[in-house]
Amino acid sequence: LKEAFKKEEFRKMFAEYLNDMQDPKYRAEQEAYIRQCEERNQVPEGVDLIHPEPGFVVKTREVSSSKDKFFINVCSHERIGKPTSREVVTKEGKKGRDWSLPHSVGPKHMEKDKSGNLCATYDVCFHPDAVKRCFLDERWKRFVAETSIGGVEKRAKKDGSARGSGEVKLNREHHILRNVRCLGSSTTLSSMNLGSSKHQK
């Protein structure tokens, strides 16, 4: 029983560690520790790590008077479910498709914008098929970006990152950063824990 308690405490501590990688100054050190735990098979049960591939960066702002910047690293990993669709018919009798776009949203971390100011940044991970299609279809890219923005709003509320009303409302009128695959201190993204951050649409 004592051993089980220790394992559960370590699992909670490790999960909290993953969720608390906000400061870019310490991220390389934190990521190195996580990789070391993986290599030594010391990742606790209940923690399901993936290492996403960068895709593109969405920039938006809060709708509130603060107009704070938010950045979203749209990324991919094959462990995330593929997009699926079904045919639907509108009230007017027109045929269309209803899409389901599985995704996972990581915790907030702070990254510098081009002026050197720290801004809230989230990683939103999709299946590689979903991200590849973004570079071929602008309408699909907008759909993925707006899905990411909705996922970040839910994650911010869940994590208690929001102020005042307890909600973060982000502008759907976003901007895609040119020639930037991910915002951060390097060209790689932080590890993501599917065990606690998965969202489905």
Side-chain angles (χ1 to χ4, degrees):
L1 186 64
K2 190 175 181 180
E3 188 65 27
F5 178 76
K6 284 183 179 179
K7 285 183 178 179
E8 178 60 19
E9 285 297 300
F10 179 61
R11 185 195 67 76
K12 287 180 180 178
M13 182 187 73
F14 196 89
E16 287 173 3
Y17 188 79
L18 281 167
N19 284 335
D20 195 28
M21 295 174 68
Q22 293 194 22
D23 194 327
K25 291 188 294 184
Y26 305 112
R27 190 156 313 117
E29 179 184 332
Q30 292 167 319
E31 193 65 31
Y33 171 72
I34 290 167
R35 298 275 184 165
Q36 189 179 69
C37 287
E38 286 186 292
E39 289 170 5
R40 295 178 179 177
N41 293 319
Q42 294 177 338
V43 176
E45 291 182 17
V47 174
D48 186 8
L49 291 177
I50 60 170
H51 304 288
E53 290 293 321
F56 59 93
V57 180
V58 176
K59 174 187 171 184
T60 186
R61 291 179 181 271
E62 279 197 74
V63 176
S64 68
S65 57
S66 69
K67 297 290 190 294
D68 288 342
K69 287 182 190 175
F70 272 67
F71 291 98
I72 302 171
N73 290 321
V74 174
C75 51
S76 64
H77 195 278
E78 59 188 13
R79 292 274 310 283
I80 305 297
K82 290 184 178 183
T84 58
S85 67
R86 62 186 180 88
E87 190 175 89
V88 294
V89 180
T90 67
K91 293 179 180 178
E92 293 77 24
K94 293 182 180 180
K95 290 184 178 180
R97 302 207 71 82
D98 181 35
W99 283 92
S100 173
L101 193 54
H103 56 287
S104 182
V105 185
K108 182 176 76 172
H109 50 101
M110 304 302 290
E111 302 294 349
K112 291 181 180 179
D113 64 8
K114 63 182 180 182
S115 301
N117 300 313
L118 287 172
C119 302
T121 306
Y122 287 82
D123 303 332
V124 183
C125 193
F126 298 85
H127 189 273
D129 288 356
V131 177
K132 286 176 186 174
R133 185 172 170 179
C134 291
F135 298 99
L136 303 172
D137 184 339
E138 282 300 318
R139 285 182 63 190
W140 180 263
K141 193 174 194 176
R142 184 173 183 84
F143 174 46
V144 169
E146 290 178 352
T147 299
S148 300
I149 291 169
V152 168
E153 288 176 335
K154 291 176 184 175
R155 176 78 197 215
K157 183 176 181 179
K158 174 177 173 286
D159 289 350
S161 307
R163 300 184 300 271
S165 66
E167 291 187 344
V168 168
K169 296 300 291 180
L170 300 177
N171 197 330
R172 263 51 180 179
E173 291 303 315
H174 59 275
H175 173 67
I176 305 295
L177 300 191
R178 293 186 64 185
N179 302 318
V180 181
R181 296 193 67 203
C182 71
L183 197 71
S185 54
S186 70
T187 56
T188 60
L189 290 154
S190 299
S191 302
M192 184 177 285
N193 179 17
L194 290 184
S196 65
S197 63
K198 199 168 185 181
H199 294 287
Q200 300 283 338
K201 176 172 179 174

